[in-house]
Amino acid sequence: MITDPLGTAPRLHRGSNQSPKVGIIHFGPGAFFRAFTAVYTAEAMAIAGGNWGVCAVSLRSATIRNKLEPQDYAYTSVTLAPDETRQDVIEVISSILVATEDPEAVLTAMAEPDVKIVSMTITEKGYCHNPSTGDLRLDHPDISHDLSNLNMPRSAIGYVVSALARRRLAGQRPFTILSCDNLPDNGTLTRRVVLSFAHAVSPDLAEWIEAEAKFPITMVDRITPATVDKDIASLSDRTGYLDLGCVMHEPFRQWVIQDDFVDGLHPDWGATGAQFVTDVAPFEKMKLRCLNGTHSALAYLGYLAGYETISDTVADPGFSSFVEIIWGSEIVPTVPQPEGENLTNYCADLKKRYQNPSIRHLTWQIAMDGSQKIPQRILGTIADCLNADRPFPSLALAIAGWMRFVGGTDEKGNPIKVSDPLADRLKSASDAHSAPADKVLSLLSISDIFDAKLAQNPIFVATVTSAYERLCQNGAQATINAMVGTDKVTSKPKTNTPLSNTSSI
C-alpha cells in the first residue's frame, strides 16, 4: 500500500475545526457511499444547513476507518471526466465505528434522539435474504446469531431492529431506514426483512415499526471504480497532500427518492439535484435493467474475452454492437418510460459513460456477487420477454457468461477468483457434470437464484443451454462477433489480477 507517493506530502486534514453534529448513521462506508450519498449530504448542508453529519459504521473491516481517522474523516471526491479531473474535499463524516470492535457504541449512537436517518450501502448480500423470493433467511448465520444476541449484532438488519427496540423502550420516535443499494424496490425489501426479524423478536415491536418507521425506496446511480495506488499518487501530485481515503467517480449522478420520511425529516438533497417523487419504480426499473443489466452482461462476457475494464470491452466493435442490440431488442421493450426520461437517449448516454476512458471499472469487480445481482438485473427482464413471447438471445448469453465465470476457470484454463457468497455451491454445481447441458441444469437448480417457474421453463432452459454450449465451443469473443455479425478482430489486453477493494454503481 502507498504510504506517501511524494515522500514529503502531508496528510489531508479537515479544514473546519468542528465535525458536524450527527443526524445520520450510515452502514457501509465504502467508495460508493463516499462518492455519492455523502457528497449529496455535504452539498445539502452547505446550501441549507442542518445537523446532518454522518457517523459511518463498518460492520467488519477497519480499513476505511484507519484510512480516514488520521485525516479527521475528511477525504477527496475526485470527478473523472474524459477531458478533465476535479477534486472536492468532503467533510460530512464525523466518525467511523467498526461494529466488531464495539457493538454497544454503534447501538448507543443509533439510539441518540438526534439521529433521524439510518442509511445503508451494504450490497445485495447484506440484506441476508433469498434473492429469488425476497424473504429474510432466518437460517442465515448472522441473522441466527443476532436473534439470540440483540445487544451484539453482526448484521445491519440486526442493528436496525435492536436500535429501534431501544428507541421504542425510551419513548423516542423511530428513525427512517434508507436503503441506497441497487435492489429493485429496495425500501420495500428493507421493510420486509426488518419486519420479519422484528416479528421473530417481538410481535409488538414489529407492529410498532410497521406503524411508525419509514422505508423510502431509492434509485442511485454513479459509476464508482475502486481506488488504486496510482489514483492516490496522481491526486497527491495535483494537490500536494496525501489522501488514502479518496474516491474516484464519473461526473454523472442521479438519485431518485420516494418522499416518505419519519416526520418528513431529511437533508435538503433536492437542492443538490436529487429527485423526490411519489413512485420510484419506473426510474428504478430503467436503471436496473438498462444500466446494471448491461453492466453485468459486459462484465461476464468481457472478462471471459480478456478485457479488464468496461471501457476496454465497449471499445471492441463486437461488444459495442452487442450492447446496442441488448438494449434495443430485449431490455427497453420491457421498461416503462419514466416521466421526464427518454429511454433512447438514456441508453445512448449510458454508452458514452461506459466509454469514458478515465473510469477504469473492472469487469471482475462488477462480476462480484452475481448470485445476488442477476435475479434483479437480468432474470426479471427475461421473465418479461418470455411473457411477451419475445426472443432474448443476448440476455441468455449473459446468463451463460455468468455460468462460465462461476465455474472458476477462464477460456485459457486459468483460475478465476470468484467473489460470491454462493461461490462454493456454484462451483460444486458446475463441477458435478462434464456436459454443458448438464452444467446448465445443475446451476439452474439453485433455488436461491432461480425460481422454479423460470428454471423449469423449456424455452429459457433451451436458450441458455444453447448460449452456454456456444461459449464453450467458440469462446466469448467469437460468440459475440457471430451474434452481432462482425468478423472484426480486436486486440485483447492482458487481464491483470484484480484488486480486492470494491465499489458499487
Side-chain angles (χ1 to χ4, degrees), residues 303-306 404-405 407-417 495:
Y303 183 97
L304 293 171
R404 286 219 72 184
F405 182 89
T409 305
D410 70 15
E411 294 178 358
K412 296 181 179 179
N414 300 314
I416 299 173
K417 182 182 178 182
T495 300

Side-chain angles (χ1 to χ4, degrees), residues 147-168:
L147 288 172
S148 301
N149 299 272
L150 273 182
N151 291 322
M152 297 184 65
R154 291 177 182 168
S155 70
I157 306 305
Y159 273 104
V160 165
V161 175
S162 184
L164 285 171
R166 292 188 179 196
R167 292 174 79 106
R168 175 174 177 256

Side-chain angles (χ1 to χ4, degrees), residues 218-417:
T218 69
M219 186 275 272
V220 298
D221 187 3
R222 171 169 264 181
I223 296 174
T224 309
T227 300
V228 297
D229 284 351
K230 68 178 181 179
D231 296 324
I232 298 171
S234 177
L235 176 64
S236 189
D237 287 340
R238 294 195 304 274
T239 64
Y241 61 73
L242 177 64
D243 180 0
L244 297 183
C246 61
V247 289
M248 311 290 131
H249 53 78
E250 65 172 335
F252 179 89
R253 68 182 188 182
Q254 185 178 21
W255 196 5
V256 184
I257 309 169
Q258 182 185 16
D259 196 0
D260 187 27
F261 288 73
V262 174
D263 301 325
L265 298 174
H266 58 75
D268 191 0
W269 289 315
T272 69
Q275 300 163 258
F276 283 89
V277 300
T278 302
D279 185 8
V280 177
F283 297 90
E284 176 184 77
K285 180 174 283 190
M286 175 185 73
K287 190 258 182 174
L288 276 169
R289 294 191 175 188
C290 295
L291 191 158
N292 296 118
T294 55
H295 232 198
S296 289
L298 291 169
Y300 294 115
L301 295 165
Y303 183 97
L304 293 171
Y307 291 113
E308 188 177 16
T309 69
I310 292 296
S311 59
D312 293 337
T313 305
V314 294
D316 175 287
F319 278 95
S320 178
S321 297
F322 170 76
V323 75
E324 295 277 2
I325 291 170
I326 200 171
W327 275 321
S329 300
E330 301 177 32
I331 294 178
V332 169
T334 73
V335 178
Q337 186 159 284
E339 184 177 353
E341 296 283 354
N342 180 296
L343 291 176
T344 300
N345 293 342
Y346 181 77
C347 292
D349 289 341
L350 282 180
K351 192 170 183 183
K352 292 177 183 177
R353 293 167 64 190
Y354 291 171
Q355 292 169 330
N356 183 350
S358 300
I359 299 293
R360 291 189 55 77
H361 211 175
L362 300 178
T363 51
W364 178 87
Q365 176 192 348
I366 299 163
M368 291 176 61
D369 300 333
S371 67
Q372 314 296 297
K373 294 175 178 177
I374 63 169
Q376 294 82 28
R377 297 183 175 197
I378 298 177
L379 297 184
T381 312
I382 290 176
D384 284 352
C385 288
L386 284 166
N387 290 335
D389 293 324
R390 184 182 299 114
F392 52 94
S394 302
L395 292 169
L397 186 61
I399 297 299
W402 168 77
M403 289 179 168
R404 286 219 72 184
F405 182 89
V406 299
T409 305
D410 70 15
E411 294 178 358
K412 296 181 179 179
N414 300 314
I416 299 173
K417 182 182 178 182

Side-chain angles (χ1 to χ4, degrees), residues 11 146 189 203 211 226 265 292:
R11 288 292 286 271
D146 292 356
L189 172 67
L265 298 174
N292 296 118

